[in-house]
Amino acid sequence: MSRMLRLELLVLVLLACTQILTEHRDFFESRAQYGYHSRFHDPTERVTRDVRVKQGRLRGFVVQPRTNHDLQPVDVFLGVPYAEPPVGSLRFSPPRSPEPWRGVRQSQEFAPVCPQVVPKLRDEVKPVRYEYLERLLPYLRNQSEDCLYLNIYTPHQPEGQKTARKYAVMVFIHGESFEWNSGNPYDGTILAAYGSVVFVTINFRLGILGFLRPGIRDDTASNFGLLDQIAGLLWLRENIADFGGDPDSITLVGHGTGAIFANLLLISPVANKKGLFNRAILMSGSALSADAIGKAPLQITKQVAHALNCPTTTDSDLALCLRGQDVNTLLNVKIHKPSYVPAFAPLIDNAVIPDKPVNLMKNPQFFGRFDLMYGVTESEKFQILPPVALLHGMVDGQRDEVLREHAKATHELEPELILSKILEQYSDFSAGFTNEYMLKNRDLVLEALSDSGTVAPLIMTANLHSRANPKSYMYVFSHPKAMQDYSGQQRQRTMHGEELPYVLGVPLDGSKYDLRRRYNIGETLFSEAMMNWWCSFAYSGNPNIAKRYPYLTDGLKEWDQYNIDWPEYDPQNQTYLNLTIPPSTGTQYRFAEMQFWNEHLPNLLRHPGKDIPLPLRPRGRRPQILDIADGIGKYANASRDYDYGIRFRGDNHQSETTVPDIGSTTPDSTTSRSDEEVIPQPSTPKSSSVITMLTGFGVVFLLINFTAFVYLYCKKQDAKTTGTGLKRRVSQKDESRRAKSEKYENNYGELGYKSDSKPDLNDVIKNDKAYDNNSNFGRRSKLSRQNSGSTIDTHIKVREWIQQEIVHR
């Protein structure tokens, strides 16, 4: 029996090793997240016909999608220049039209990406984010300031045969960050072949080169990254017809920060008056996000100038100095800023972005002119937390610190009040304190940051747009992967970016190393449906257009579940399509949370003295006594003064004392308030319940102490009555005990200690080798606990452990 058990265990171990090796085999191949096996095309592939554009002739290569079904071939043109290289005197300047070239330009390799500092893999959590970046980062190694290029994927046109059909154009604006990434990794071959569209990706300036204001005046030219995108759209308007695209049917497709860029282009007077696009798809982002517009651009410019010893007397002197710096020196400038505030982001410059986005979006002539589709995943800020917090959870102090700093970055006012309201809105106390309490804290933070940073701003965007244009469609991507991750864990909530492979047709492509085995046949059909919806919207502004192709996967029974009407969004019902298998419609996505961020919290900050009820939510209410214990909300300054580092405390204090209609009207933001305003009045139900609870605790404590006192008093009286008899017996044995004590006083450490009288503890520690600095034996620990004059805060020890864990990783 035992032999059979060993054999079965051996077989299981071998199978596990085989599975691990098979799953990780593809990591040693050169590949992209959504692209080819390598950065270069297969030399056996055919070349395209020569395409003549304004600047000269281009020649790409033809790709035949390697799917299980017959898809049309695709012409691919990589590294197509759309502007002059922004180097030398053109650094920190708007882009210029590209110079013409002679002969045929070979567009068969990716051009360099713009200079950037990419994230470090060792700082990412395995397997989710780590695996994603491991495939993405190889495409970001080749960097140069000469980086303003497009990649074009278009249905194949044979040599000498020009099709009369014009394809809709989808311009993909990449996301991830304002400071890193590129359009190169996103392969549009399958989408172009399946949906008969022209798919374009674009590289543009990022970070300090793309969004630093190179001057101290407010009207100094900036937003060079956005201007690069506009230059690319101008080039496409003039030339995309030569690739088979329709210049009058261009759709912006932005993801993450790319969705912020696309939204800003929709409301920019520089871009939307030129007829550069007709509609947009905003995936997980909008211009109403708190980080969509950069903060304190003058301070950042001065920090850069100070770090590089550049003069700020005039804008021309500063720009001249910045253009003379080495690019690596520029990238390595350290910016001191609050947490969760981007160092470089789009700026209000009186030209490209002349006003706050919310003011521009209220103008229906700007925003309502364009058809719009938009949506989110279920967890949009998964990557914002450190790996240890994601894997092991967060203690209360870490949870509060993240939420407090995020409140400072997004609202700039009353972080303690906002923290208290967030905990009241999102905390679930119905189940009490369980073993998964730290994981619940992590999930609370992820939910709050996702709603605040992405979902609530996108709902506001939807409400503004749908009032001006009925062609407004919302989705929620909620389909978890059918296949498990390498860790063997199956996540229940979709994360930021998980919808992209389905939109780009990755489940259909059998040539993407081994990736297809990680999607089942139902997900392949699901990817087909998503490509149909996206391409239908690109053609008509309505995702419900009749399918141009029958589905290639599964049969008629499975196809029927996708015969669903995608309803238009309206501010009342807030109808959306739930993208999962099978898809379904829903209304008022996370309605209570959206009310909290878009209505309740702004009203509370405008009128902090009023008691505004929170939206209804199916969670246990957070007891008010926890605010007192944690020292947050109205009780932030009641018992202790927190110090959370340098976070522009002086500026916040000044705003609180000089702007009475915002800062000084909040109970916890000023010391000039009376005590009655800081502490709730006993007439309110909440305060009376708290006082009753505290009184009860006090009475119980007094009863315990009184009982202990009576017990000790009785014992003392008993000791007095028996003391006389004991004294007589002790005196009889005193002489013999003294002799034994003298006999062993020099060697008690070796033979053991038998005397009832205790020796001096300092002498024990001095003579006992178990108490040297390099040991931690049981006796040392025991005596240390006995003589410790202070207690150890377990929260501090957990925090130290997590910090050590982060350093170790």
Side-chain angles (χ1 to χ4, degrees):
M1 186 68 181
S2 61
R3 184 177 301 174
M4 290 295 297
L5 182 60
R6 289 196 209 99
L7 184 60
E8 290 177 358
L9 289 175
L10 179 61
V11 171
L12 289 174
V13 170
L14 291 175
L15 288 174
C17 293
T18 303
Q19 179 70 10
I20 293 173
L21 291 174
T22 303
E23 288 178 341
H24 287 79
R25 176 185 59 192
D26 58 316
F27 281 156
F28 298 96
E29 302 174 4
S30 176
R31 68 228 184 266
Q33 167 71 6
Y34 310 113
Y36 306 103
H37 285 279
S38 68
R39 293 178 59 248
F40 309 105
H41 74 286
D42 187 343
T44 61
E45 291 172 333
R46 297 173 294 163
V47 296
T48 66
R49 62 182 178 88
D50 291 352
V51 175
R52 180 174 292 278
V53 296
K54 301 295 183 183
Q55 293 77 26
R57 289 184 295 167
L58 294 169
R59 182 179 299 161
F61 58 95
V62 182
V63 175
Q64 178 63 54
R66 300 172 187 174
T67 65
N68 295 334
H69 313 281
D70 255 349
L71 290 179
Q72 60 182 321
V74 175
D75 293 345
V76 179
F77 299 86
L78 304 178
V80 179
Y82 66 85
E84 275 291 284
V87 298
S89 61
L90 297 183
R91 180 193 282 178
F92 296 112
S93 296
R96 298 184 181 180
S97 300
E99 294 290 334
W101 57 82
R102 294 182 178 181
V104 179
R105 183 185 180 96
Q106 301 296 325
S107 298
Q108 301 172 10
E109 298 179 4
F110 285 119
V113 304
C114 293
Q116 55 193 272
V117 179
V118 299
K120 296 180 175 59
L121 277 178
R122 64 174 179 267
D123 296 335
E124 302 298 333
V125 62
K126 292 183 180 181
V128 184
R129 184 73 173 170
Y130 184 96
E131 175 191 332
Y132 166 72
L133 291 178
E134 191 178 36
R135 293 195 295 267
L136 185 67
L137 294 185
Y139 276 70
L140 308 180
R141 291 172 182 164
N142 182 23
Q143 300 182 12
S144 171
E145 286 192 83
D146 182 5
C147 62
L148 303 185
Y149 296 90
L150 299 166
N151 305 307
I152 302 174
Y153 305 83
T154 182
H156 175 61
Q157 295 185 26
E159 182 72 34
Q161 179 181 348
K162 196 170 183 179
T163 178
R165 181 179 180 181
K166 293 298 181 183
Y167 302 108
V169 182
M170 303 176 72
V171 181
F172 181 76
I173 306 176
H174 67 77
E176 287 297 343
S177 170
F178 293 131
E179 301 188 34
W180 65 273
N181 204 5
S182 163
N184 291 353
Y186 302 94
D187 179 16
T189 302
I190 301 297
L191 183 61
Y194 186 91
S196 292
V197 296
V198 178
F199 187 79
V200 181
T201 65
I202 182 172
N203 293 343
F204 48 88
R205 283 174 282 182
L206 300 162
I208 189 172
L209 295 172
F211 298 101
L212 173 71
R213 177 179 289 169
I216 58 176
R217 300 199 321 268
D218 292 340
D219 59 349
T220 303
S222 57
N223 287 323
F224 306 115
L226 271 172
L227 289 172
D228 292 343
Q229 296 168 34
I230 294 174
L233 292 170
L234 282 168
W235 190 92
L236 290 173
R237 172 98 182 148
E238 294 177 351
N239 298 286
I240 199 62
D242 298 314
F243 296 87
D246 185 357
D248 295 321
S249 182
I250 294 179
T251 300
L252 303 179
V253 183
H255 181 257
T257 52
I260 294 176
F261 289 135
N263 197 169
L264 290 174
L265 292 175
L266 293 177
I267 58 178
S268 170
V270 176
N272 60 21
K273 290 182 178 179
K274 299 180 181 296
L276 301 180
F277 41 81
N278 307 85
R279 53 192 64 93
I281 301 175
L282 308 181
M283 304 169 64
S284 301
S286 74
L288 296 185
S289 297
D291 57 354
I293 299 296
K295 296 178 174 61
L298 180 59
Q299 293 185 22
I300 292 178
T301 299
K302 289 184 176 180
Q303 285 190 47
V304 173
H306 177 73
L308 301 177
N309 294 320
C310 288
T312 57
T313 52
T314 64
D315 288 357
S316 58
D317 292 339
L318 176 58
L320 184 63
C321 178
L322 292 174
R323 292 180 182 126
Q325 299 291 329
D326 179 72
V327 63
N328 291 323
T329 304
L330 289 171
L331 293 177
N332 292 325
V333 171
K334 301 299 181 184
I335 301 298
H336 302 282
K337 62 180 183 61
S339 302
Y340 309 110
V341 173
F344 302 101
L347 304 173
I348 297 177
D349 60 355
N350 300 322
V352 182
I353 310 175
D355 198 356
K356 292 180 179 180
V358 65
N359 296 333
L360 296 174
M361 291 167 69
K362 289 178 180 178
N363 186 347
Q365 296 181 352
F366 273 174
F367 197 39
R369 293 170 49 195
F370 308 102
D371 306 331
L372 199 62
M373 190 167 84
Y374 39 86
V376 295
T377 60
E378 293 175 307
S379 182
E380 289 287 357
K381 297 296 182 180
F382 184 84
Q383 72 279 6
I384 204 171
L385 294 182
V388 172
L390 290 173
L391 295 176
H392 303 290
M394 309 173 74
V395 297
D396 289 355
Q398 292 174 312
R399 174 203 65 192
D400 295 348
E401 180 68 8
V402 171
L403 294 176
R404 185 183 291 108
E405 294 303 320
H406 194 266
K408 291 179 182 178
T410 56
H411 292 83
E412 301 179 2
L413 294 170
E414 311 301 343
E416 298 294 341
L417 179 62
I418 295 174
L419 171 61
S420 173
K421 292 301 180 180
I422 291 175
L423 294 179
E424 186 177 352
Q425 174 68 29
Y426 285 86
S427 296
D428 185 1
F429 291 89
S430 58
F433 295 92
T434 64
N435 294 332
E436 298 181 348
Y437 186 71
M438 292 179 65
L439 297 179
K440 285 189 175 182
N441 279 340
R442 175 204 62 190
D443 295 341
L444 183 154
V445 170
L446 290 176
E447 281 190 42
L449 297 188
S450 177
D451 289 342
S452 170
T454 303
V455 185
L458 198 62
I459 293 294
M460 289 182 61
T461 302
N463 292 336
L464 289 172
H465 180 266
S466 59
R467 292 188 182 102
N469 188 338
K471 286 190 174 181
S472 192
Y473 302 90
M474 178 181 173
Y475 70 87
V476 176
F477 183 82
S478 57
H479 170 67
K481 276 186 179 180
M483 302 297 180
Q484 293 183 343
D485 290 317
Y486 290 134
S487 62
Q489 299 175 354
Q490 187 168 358
R491 300 183 307 276
Q492 300 301 318
R493 297 173 66 85
T494 56
M495 298 188 309
H496 178 81
E498 284 193 327
E499 77 280 25
L500 266 181
Y502 295 92
V503 173
L504 297 178
V506 170
L508 277 72
D509 191 353
S511 70
K512 301 286 192 303
Y513 47 97
D514 254 346
L515 188 58
R516 192 187 180 284
R517 65 180 174 78
R518 301 182 63 189
Y519 296 91
N520 61 25
I521 192 169
E523 290 172 323
T524 304
L525 177 61
F526 181 51
S527 178
E528 288 192 57
M530 288 190 63
M531 286 191 290
N532 262 313
W533 284 319
W534 260 245
C535 294
S536 297
F537 181 81
Y539 268 96
S540 66
N542 186 342
N544 295 306
I545 191 174
K547 304 298 185 292
R548 294 182 306 281
Y549 291 101
Y551 290 118
L552 307 178
T553 310
D554 276 355
L556 292 175
K557 181 179 179 181
E558 287 76 15
W559 295 355
D560 288 340
Q561 62 186 345
Y562 293 101
N563 290 331
I564 184 173
D565 183 64
W566 190 329
E568 295 176 344
Y569 181 94
D570 67 272
Q572 286 73 36
N573 297 318
Q574 299 183 4
T575 314
Y576 64 92
L577 185 66
N578 188 22
L579 296 181
T580 186
I581 301 177
S584 60
T585 58
T587 59
Q588 297 181 338
Y589 179 66
R590 297 182 66 82
F591 185 69
E593 289 80 4
M594 298 303 101
Q595 277 191 318
F596 171 77
W597 290 108
N598 291 337
E599 297 179 17
H600 169 76
L601 194 59
N603 291 337
L604 184 66
L605 294 177
R606 283 193 293 266
H607 310 287
K610 292 185 178 180
D611 187 13
I612 303 176
L614 284 174
L616 297 176
R617 70 214 192 298
R619 292 187 175 93
R621 186 173 181 83
R622 173 180 170 86
Q624 191 172 0
I625 191 173
L626 294 182
D627 283 1
I628 302 175
D630 294 341
I632 61 177
K634 298 179 179 180
Y635 311 96
N637 301 319
S639 59
R640 54 187 173 182
D641 185 21
Y642 290 88
D643 185 12
Y644 298 100
I646 300 175
R647 294 290 187 271
F648 299 102
R649 295 172 65 92
D651 295 342
N652 290 342
H653 178 72
Q654 184 178 2
S655 64
E656 292 168 0
T657 56
T658 58
V659 187
D661 59 331
I662 298 178
S664 60
T665 55
T666 307
D668 64 323
S669 64
T670 177
T671 57
S672 62
R673 287 277 179 181
S674 62
D675 294 338
E676 289 79 5
E677 291 175 317
V678 177
I679 305 298
Q681 297 297 323
S683 59
T684 62
K686 294 181 181 179
S687 300
S688 61
S689 61
V690 172
I691 293 175
T692 303
M693 189 181 301
L694 292 176
T695 304
F697 286 148
V699 170
V700 172
F701 181 75
L702 289 175
L703 288 176
I704 293 174
N705 279 274
F706 179 75
T707 304
F709 173 76
V710 172
Y711 174 77
L712 292 175
Y713 179 78
C714 294
K715 296 291 287 184
K716 185 177 180 181
Q717 292 299 114
D718 293 341
K720 285 183 178 181
T721 57
T722 58
T724 305
L726 290 174
K727 185 175 182 181
R728 184 180 299 110
R729 280 177 289 178
V730 169
S731 62
Q732 292 175 355
K733 298 180 181 180
D734 184 61
E735 196 67 26
S736 60
R737 290 176 56 193
R738 185 179 295 109
K740 291 182 180 180
S741 178
E742 291 175 356
K743 181 179 179 180
Y744 294 105
E745 65 180 354
N746 295 325
N747 57 357
Y748 62 83
E750 297 178 5
L751 302 180
Y753 188 63
K754 304 294 184 179
S755 174
D756 291 341
S757 63
K758 296 181 180 179
D760 184 76
L761 186 62
N762 293 327
D763 295 335
V764 176
I765 295 175
K766 186 184 300 182
N767 295 315
D768 197 338
K769 294 182 179 180
Y771 294 89
D772 62 72
N773 293 329
N774 297 322
S775 63
N776 187 19
F777 301 132
R779 184 160 41 160
R780 178 186 179 188
S781 301
K782 182 177 179 180
L783 291 176
S784 299
R785 287 193 296 268
Q786 290 175 354
N787 293 276
S788 175
S790 60
T791 58
I792 298 176
D793 188 353
T794 56
H795 292 285
I796 295 177
K797 299 302 291 183
V798 172
R799 190 181 303 115
E800 291 175 354
W801 170 76
I802 291 177
Q803 291 174 350
Q804 293 174 1
E805 195 70 16
I806 292 174
V807 173
H808 175 70
R809 290 177 181 272

